[in-house]
Amino acid sequence: MSSEEHLKQTDTEARFEFKKEEKSAFAAEKGLTEETIRVISEDKDEPEWMLQRRLRALEQYKEMPMPTDWPGQPDLSELDVDQIVPYIRPDVDVRGGVDDWTELPDEIKDTFDKLGIPEAEKNALSGVGAQYESEVVYQNMQEQWEEKGVIFCNMDKAVQEHEDLVREHFMTKCVPPSDNKFAALHGAIWSGGSFVYVPEGVTVEMPVQAYFRMNSEGMGQFEHTLIIAEEGSEVHYIEGCSAPKYSAFNLHSGGVEVFVGEDAHVQYSTVQNWSKNTYNLNTKRAIAEKGGRMEWISGSMGSKATMLYPSTILKGRGASDNHITIAMAGEGQDIDTGAKVYHNAPNTKSTIESKSIAKDGGRTNYRGLVHIADGAENSSTAVECDALMFDNESTSDTMPYMEINESKVDVAHEATVGKIGDEDIFYLQSRGLDDDDAKQMIVSGFIEPITEELPIEYAVELNRLVELEMEGSLG
């Protein structure tokens, strides 16, 4: 049976909820110690400067307190990093991954077949990376883009083969370990992830995608994504994430750094479907130079607790930023998402559109910051937060912060909270829909501004994931 035939015969729930027997070539001990850091670095054969950065990040992590005093933040009291396995190297013959799916062990290949990644690569992508546990196991880029100087490889390979670029940009200017406790944790034990470099003037016409899969119980995944788009270039990066449900907690604490050159354009789209035993705590940031344009499109669901606030520093005159976010929370879930934008130059522009859905006592929260610096005249920002609730037990909050230090600016904020009304359901039922289909249609229309920004394959997948969340089938 072909990958395409298999995919068509496998429903979305089964594609995400399956588990594989845990097999690894190497697994670190639980917890976070200097010895663990040295073992990870040695296993990767890293240069000394990277080891030293890891160790400095470890010290910063130890010194920084857990975030506990944010108003309305998710409860992290049950998260014990000392019980997390920080590094698992899958049992694959070729370190750094292969460029042919058939060379992977059957159990890993079957995982990504079920997730539909090989089929998506064939139909709609310029390149694909696939990470299993702590390391990338597959990486490929279409030859036409390699000939134009585009680099798409895993971060471990980038450290070895593009050392100068990585050393200059890795957790130095964009997301330093000092940013927050989980950025420091990430800096100490990061593993895997993607490196994307687009030369000046090159437009990568089809998206590149990386998919991150956690399979083992009680592990942490800490992939790092570094994107450098030179002047006048353009690229769309898509990230997918998932994990099956276990009784022990898992931790995902990724890091993303994006450098948008003058008049360059980067779109970063992510659909995260972690299981309900996963803490999802990420740090993502972009820096946009003069005329640069950054877009974040995020769908977040499935975790026990999420704290995710992609941020952009508009550094150069005329730079712009656009955030579109959807968050969905069901029973026992606290999804705290938002955006941060720093207008540090004149004539900069940002828009933030947040959509959240809460049901069965779940909680969603928009937490955002817009900062306009003194001297950033003629800048503008517009923030729109819309929340949809299914019942009286669910909660949706909005916590926007505005720091405006310049008078010649345009600032707008709008927030709405609504509940699916009986009259809406009745109207759709009168047109032949049952109760569940009526609710699904309302939700699909609610999130349409986000799905229309995604390639059709991913828009369909996101709608199906939301449908499964409404049914309570995932995680």
Side-chain angles (χ1 to χ4, degrees), residues 308-311 321 323 325 337-341 352 366-370:
L308 176 60
Y309 323 100
S311 63
D321 175 73
H323 280 80
T325 303
T337 59
K340 299 179 182 179
V341 185
I352 299 171
Y366 168 81
R367 189 186 304 271
L369 168 67
V370 175

Side-chain angles (χ1 to χ4, degrees), residues 70-73 336 363 365-369 397-401:
W70 293 16
Q73 75 166 67
D336 202 275
R363 177 181 181 269
N365 180 43
Y366 168 81
R367 189 186 304 271
L369 168 67
D397 297 314
T398 302
M399 300 180 181
Y401 295 87

